[in-house]
């Protein structure tokens, strides 16, 4: 993978991790309820879940590419349209906060880990996002396994780092989101729309 392509992916991964979603809200809530140390189990489960979703998406895409490289172009344009639609939804979404999450999680590490993993794996929007997102960065002339390691590893590091910051500053971030959450969502939504328009146009 070219460094320029990876850098674009890194910036997009940061944008995805910062945008409102179940795993970020879970890290926010668990950080407030159980503290940073216990929330590490939630974060680890979340990252493992995302790696599983990325693996399913990438190797499913790889199977299509084995049938015809034309599928890559089709997937890029469908994916771009989906990212624009997702950006509109994020733009319009209300601010999130700890009070939005009503279920109190168990304090056992195993339970926190499972909740983090299931929040990533069971969310159909996550699966759709990666199915739309990853074709923009796959090079069919290179090893799919190596690209999986790079893309999944990059996203896991970004996601874990951001969730850890969110969990560590849960109380402050929750108050901040209450005040400026709608504008924050609009910024994330605009970023998704820009990515959805720009990436399919790349050669």
């Amino acid at each position: 993978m070219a460094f320029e392509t990876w850098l674009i992916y890194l910036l997009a991964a940061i944008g995805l991790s910062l945008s409102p979603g179940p795993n970020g809200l879970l890290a926010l809530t668990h950080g407030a309820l159980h503290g940073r140390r216990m929330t590490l189990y939630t974060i680890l489960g979340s990252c493992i879940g995302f790696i599983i979703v990325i693996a399913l998406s990438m190797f499913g895409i790889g199977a299509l590419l084995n049938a015809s490289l034309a599928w890559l172009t089709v997937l890029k344009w469908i994916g771009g349209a989906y990212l624009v639609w997702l950006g509109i939804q994020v733009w319009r979404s209300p601010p999130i906060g700890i009070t939005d999450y009503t279920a109190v999680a168990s304090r056992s590490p195993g339970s926190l880990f499972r909740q983090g993993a299931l929040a990533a794996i069971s969310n159909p929007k996550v699966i759709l996002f990666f199915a739309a997102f990853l074709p923009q960065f796959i090079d069919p002339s290179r090893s799919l396994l190596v690209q999986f390691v790079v893309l999944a590893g990059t996203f896991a590091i970004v996601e874990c780092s951001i969730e850890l910051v969110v969990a560590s500053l849960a109380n402050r971030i929750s108050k901040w989101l209450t005040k400026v959450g709608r504008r924050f969502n609009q910024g994330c939504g605009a970023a998704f729309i820009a990515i959805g328009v720009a990436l399919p146009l790349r050669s």
Side-chain angles (χ1 to χ4, degrees), residues 16-93:
L16 172 59
S17 296
L18 286 173
S19 65
N23 288 88
L25 182 55
L26 199 60
L28 182 70
T29 305
H30 285 188
L33 294 176
H34 308 305
R36 181 178 64 178
R37 183 175 179 182
M38 288 296 292
T39 307
L40 287 174
Y41 294 102
T42 306
I43 295 170
L44 179 60
S46 173
C47 290
I48 295 296
F50 279 122
I51 289 173
I52 291 172
V53 172
I54 291 173
L56 293 174
S57 299
M58 281 198 70
F59 292 108
I61 292 166
L64 283 176
L65 296 183
N66 286 335
S68 172
L69 289 179
W71 278 108
L72 184 60
T73 300
V74 173
L75 287 172
K76 284 185 176 182
W77 283 100
I78 293 175
Y82 174 76
L83 293 176
V84 170
W85 177 86
L86 182 62
I88 294 171
Q89 301 306 307
V90 171
W91 178 288
R92 298 171 60 185
S93 63

Side-chain angles (χ1 to χ4, degrees), residues 39-163:
T39 307
L40 287 174
Y41 294 102
T42 306
I43 295 170
L44 179 60
S46 173
C47 290
I48 295 296
F50 279 122
I51 289 173
I52 291 172
V53 172
I54 291 173
L56 293 174
S57 299
M58 281 198 70
F59 292 108
I61 292 166
L64 283 176
L65 296 183
N66 286 335
S68 172
L69 289 179
W71 278 108
L72 184 60
T73 300
V74 173
L75 287 172
K76 284 185 176 182
W77 283 100
I78 293 175
Y82 174 76
L83 293 176
V84 170
W85 177 86
L86 182 62
I88 294 171
Q89 301 306 307
V90 171
W91 178 288
R92 298 171 60 185
S93 63
I96 63 172
I98 291 176
T99 54
D100 294 331
Y101 189 83
T102 57
V104 178
S106 168
R107 294 179 181 273
S108 71
S111 177
L112 296 178
F113 177 89
R114 286 192 298 273
Q115 287 190 30
L118 289 174
I121 296 173
S122 64
N123 185 355
K125 290 184 179 180
V126 171
I127 299 172
L128 285 173
F129 180 86
F130 280 113
F133 184 60
L134 293 175
Q136 317 294 341
F137 301 95
I138 292 176
D139 184 347
S141 66
R142 301 190 180 190
S143 168
L144 192 64
L145 180 59
V146 172
Q147 292 180 84
F148 163 72
V149 171
V150 173
L151 295 176
T154 298
F155 186 82
I157 292 172
V158 168
E159 180 70 19
C160 284
S161 300
I162 290 177
E163 286 191 21

